Amino acid sequence: MADRTNWRPGGVADIDGATDVKVSHETIHERSKLAFTAIGYGGAPIGNFNGTFTETEATEMVMQSWDQGVRYFDTAPGYGNGLSEYRLGHALRSYDRSQLVLSTKVGRVLTPALDAPTQNGQYQNIPPLIASYDYSYDGVMRAVEQSMQRMLTDRFDALFIHDCDRFTHGSAQPEYFRQAIVSAFPALESLRAQGVVKAIGFGVNETDVMTEAVKTTDSDLCLLAGRYTLLEQEPLDELLPACAERGIGIVLGGVYNSGVLATGPVKGARFNYGPAPTDVLKKAGRIEEIARRHDVALPAVALQFAFAHPAVVSVCVGARNIGQQQRNAALFEAPIPQQVWEDLRAARLIREDAPIPS
């Protein structure tokens, strides 16, 4: 379903000291003909997620990512009430639009309100806008027009229907999901037919919701966050085989499970936006022990494992600063002995049917 070129991790001996690492590996998604870099730029942090960025800092993050060879950039209206979209769009203005892949999401419409809160969940110091969920046909069209204006573009390469899952909507999820299928997706199909977007699909955090969405629609590309990692491999049962069979590309987000696979099982480690439970810390510790035995960093194993599945076109990673971003690139390039993967399988820490880097 995808043609990968030049992916053979190796060549970075000193991750902590790496200063000029480039990630140039490319995957051509056959269905959409889009060219994805193996690492994508995750735009949530510059929407002031769990902290604030200045305009200059946000621009520097995007520019450094470009200099590393990254050409896939993802954002969403929900990332700081459009702040991430605005910053990313303005930072990318100086680059050739034809050389990058740009995705955002639909499902939220932003309305100006001077008395709107300046904080929304983990997003801080955000614009005075009210975000309302809207999966209607007209709501999607409004959302796309708003995103185009914020990002200074006349088209997107990929659009995802965002957060039509239980984590976001709770008991109301079935109705929001129905609206996404019968109203939002036809709107995206219309935009695809008009050439406004090349690839359409869903961006959610739950495997069963994504599986149902893929079964029900003619999706091209989907973004699955946090569900296919060293700690969670349920998508191997049904979702990823179905995507591989139908040529549906998968962008993976949250491959560190929101923290614990980046930091290891340290005090205060995070798992899926909350404190990591004991069983997760224990499993992460066992994985880290095997990695250390071969002088390999745990997050390098996490990144490269996620990308190894043939349905995956890119691993989208967010970073808090330039140092983290540089380290992520080095981790992706770090050589990992084949014995690491064999030891993880022998210990039943990764599934037998999970593809591994060759």
Side-chain angles (χ1 to χ4, degrees), residues 91-112:
L92 290 174
R93 282 191 70 193
S94 58
Y95 300 109
D96 184 347
R97 178 66 179 83
S98 67
Q99 297 301 306
L100 62 95
V101 174
L102 186 62
S103 66
T104 190
K105 304 177 183 74
V106 300
R108 287 175 175 86
V109 173
L110 304 180
T111 304

Side-chain angles (χ1 to χ4, degrees), residues 8-194:
R8 186 172 57 192
V12 178
D14 181 5
I15 291 174
D16 292 323
T19 58
D20 187 24
V21 181
K22 290 187 180 292
V23 180
S24 57
H25 318 298
E26 185 178 86
T27 297
I28 307 298
H29 179 227
E30 293 179 3
R31 183 166 176 152
S32 66
K33 307 306 180 187
L34 293 171
F36 289 87
T37 42
I39 286 186
Y41 178 86
I46 62 170
N48 287 351
F49 182 74
N50 280 338
T52 59
F53 284 77
T54 66
E55 303 304 315
T56 298
E57 289 169 340
T59 299
E60 288 175 348
M61 290 287 289
V62 178
M63 293 176 66
Q64 187 223 26
S65 183
W66 182 278
D67 290 343
Q68 288 177 334
V70 172
R71 294 295 182 269
Y72 172 47
F73 298 85
D74 175 72
T75 182
Y79 299 163
N81 279 3
L83 185 59
S84 172
E85 286 188 323
Y86 176 87
R87 286 172 164 173
L88 181 60
H90 283 70
L92 290 174
R93 282 191 70 193
S94 58
Y95 300 109
D96 184 347
R97 178 66 179 83
S98 67
Q99 297 301 306
L100 62 95
V101 174
L102 186 62
S103 66
T104 190
K105 304 177 183 74
V106 300
R108 287 175 175 86
V109 173
L110 304 180
T111 304
L114 291 179
D115 58 348
T118 58
Q119 184 168 334
N120 183 7
Q122 293 170 281
Y123 290 95
Q124 305 171 14
N125 191 24
I126 56 178
L129 301 164
I130 299 294
S132 57
Y133 294 106
D134 192 338
Y135 297 98
S136 70
Y137 190 102
D138 290 343
V140 167
M141 294 302 186
R142 283 197 300 274
V144 172
E145 183 177 9
Q146 290 178 350
S147 293
M148 285 179 170
Q149 291 173 348
R150 283 189 291 269
M151 302 197 72
L152 308 175
T153 187
D154 64 347
R155 68 192 187 280
F156 291 103
D157 298 294
L159 289 169
F160 303 113
I161 299 173
H162 200 196
D163 286 346
C164 53
D165 48 33
R166 287 182 296 276
F167 180 82
T168 304
H169 299 294
S171 61
Q173 187 269 341
E175 176 55 26
Y176 278 113
F177 184 78
R178 186 194 69 81
Q179 292 174 10
I181 297 297
V182 304
S183 295
F185 196 80
L188 293 187
E189 287 181 307
S190 175
L191 293 172
R192 183 175 60 184
Q194 297 172 50

